[in-house]
């Protein structure tokens, strides 16, 4: 049994580059989203930073933050769908494993 576990562990560790390829579009979308968040934060805080020290109120626009928040889900969903379309066998295996793991967890938590 420990030998089988070691083989399984080595296989999963060896699969890391494939997993990065599998989720490449999602990772790219996340980096794009991080950049957009940084730009939106800059648009909000640059006027605050440029304001004179004694100024009590600073007009800022939250529109860039709102735009990022509204676009984020669509961007990530589209990237995930593109990755899924590129790797259908991996998606089928991941979903099967997720169902198996969920079923095992649910059966373990059922009262006896």
């Amino acid at each position: 049994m420990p030998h089988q576990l070691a083989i399984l562990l080595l296989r999963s560790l060896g699969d890391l580059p494939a997993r990065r390829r599998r989720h490449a579009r999602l990772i790219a979308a996340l980096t794009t989203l991080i950049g957009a968040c940084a730009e939106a934060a800059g648009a909000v805080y640059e006027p605050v930073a440029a304001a004179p020290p004694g100024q009590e109120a600073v007009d800022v626009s939250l529109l860039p933050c709102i735009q990022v928040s509204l676009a984020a889900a669509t961007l990530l969903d589209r990237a995930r769908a593109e990755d899924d379309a590129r790797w259908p066998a991996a998606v089928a295996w991941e979903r099967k494993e997720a169902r198996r793991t969920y079923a095992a967890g649910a059966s373990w938590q059922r009262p006896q």
Side-chain angles (χ1 to χ4, degrees):
M1 183 70 156
H3 177 68
Q4 292 172 340
L5 185 58
I7 290 172
L8 181 62
L9 180 61
L10 287 173
R11 282 184 186 158
S12 65
L13 288 176
D15 197 31
L16 286 177
R19 287 181 188 207
R20 282 192 294 268
R21 282 192 311 274
R22 155 79 176 95
H23 299 289
R25 293 183 193 244
L26 182 58
I27 293 167
L30 286 168
T31 58
T32 299
L33 191 54
I34 290 167
C37 287
E39 286 181 23
V44 170
Y45 284 101
E46 283 173 8
V48 174
Q55 188 172 342
E56 296 257 339
V58 178
D59 286 333
V60 297
S61 173
L62 297 179
L63 183 61
C65 296
I66 294 167
Q67 289 172 327
V68 169
S69 71
L70 293 174
T74 303
L75 178 68
L76 296 175
D77 286 345
R78 186 176 19 180
R80 185 178 299 114
E82 289 173 2
D83 278 338
D84 289 355
R86 290 178 67 204
W87 303 90
V91 171
W93 181 83
E94 289 167 359
R95 288 184 180 153
K96 184 180 102 181
E97 287 298 303
R99 283 191 301 273
R100 185 185 61 77
T101 302
Y102 176 79
S107 67
W108 177 76
Q109 294 176 1
R110 280 193 202 117
Q112 300 287 331

